[in-house]
Amino acid sequence: MIEQTKDLKEVVLVNLPPGSDFDYSNAGCIYPATGLMLIGAALKKSGVDVSLVDGALDKNYEEIALSKISDKTPFVGFSIMTSQLISAYNFIRIIREKHPSVVIVLGGIHTTLF
């Protein structure tokens, strides 16, 4: 993986809110996006500019992520659970409309199991 990051300049990693009805008034009760943080740390160590957008902490995560995604962004990565699947699909559609060439990578427990 380290050798293949030579062409990567910037990536955006997105942790979605746990569900569509998430109550941001108690956001501190959420587990951190450990998988995305580990991937981001490895990429950053290889010289890649990494932006981690945490939808469990920022209600306007879509706006934040979209401001960081450009046509030069090689990929946007998501870690998703089954409860986040609909939100992921909806947000991916928005990203595709604005940046059709950006590769979308899904990981996490849902993609691992299904």
Side-chain angles (χ1 to χ4, degrees):
M1 178 173 147
I2 302 298
E3 308 247 341
Q4 297 174 354
T5 59
K6 292 176 188 170
D7 296 332
L8 292 178
K9 302 291 185 232
E10 58 184 38
V11 297
V12 178
L13 303 175
V14 180
N15 181 44
L16 296 166
S20 59
D21 59 348
F22 181 61
D23 178 12
Y24 284 90
S25 65
N26 195 16
C29 70
I30 299 302
Y31 293 105
T34 310
L36 289 177
M37 290 190 289
L38 290 170
I39 291 168
L43 289 170
K44 192 169 186 167
K45 188 175 181 180
S46 299
V48 178
D49 183 20
V50 178
S51 295
L52 176 60
V53 180
D54 196 345
L57 296 175
D58 293 308
K59 193 171 189 170
N60 62 337
Y61 71 93
E62 288 183 352
E63 180 182 321
I64 295 168
L66 287 171
S67 73
K68 297 177 180 298
I69 300 168
S70 73
D71 291 332
K72 295 179 183 177
T73 306
F75 74 87
V76 176
F78 288 86
S79 178
I80 60 169
M81 299 181 295
T82 304
S83 64
Q84 299 167 312
L85 190 59
I86 303 290
S87 296
Y89 285 157
N90 289 336
F91 190 35
I92 289 167
R93 279 190 204 108
I94 294 168
I95 295 170
R96 285 266 180 251
E97 288 173 8
K98 296 181 181 297
H99 305 284
S101 64
V102 172
V103 174
I104 305 294
V105 179
L106 295 177
I109 193 66
H110 180 84
T111 52
T112 300
L113 294 175
F114 300 101

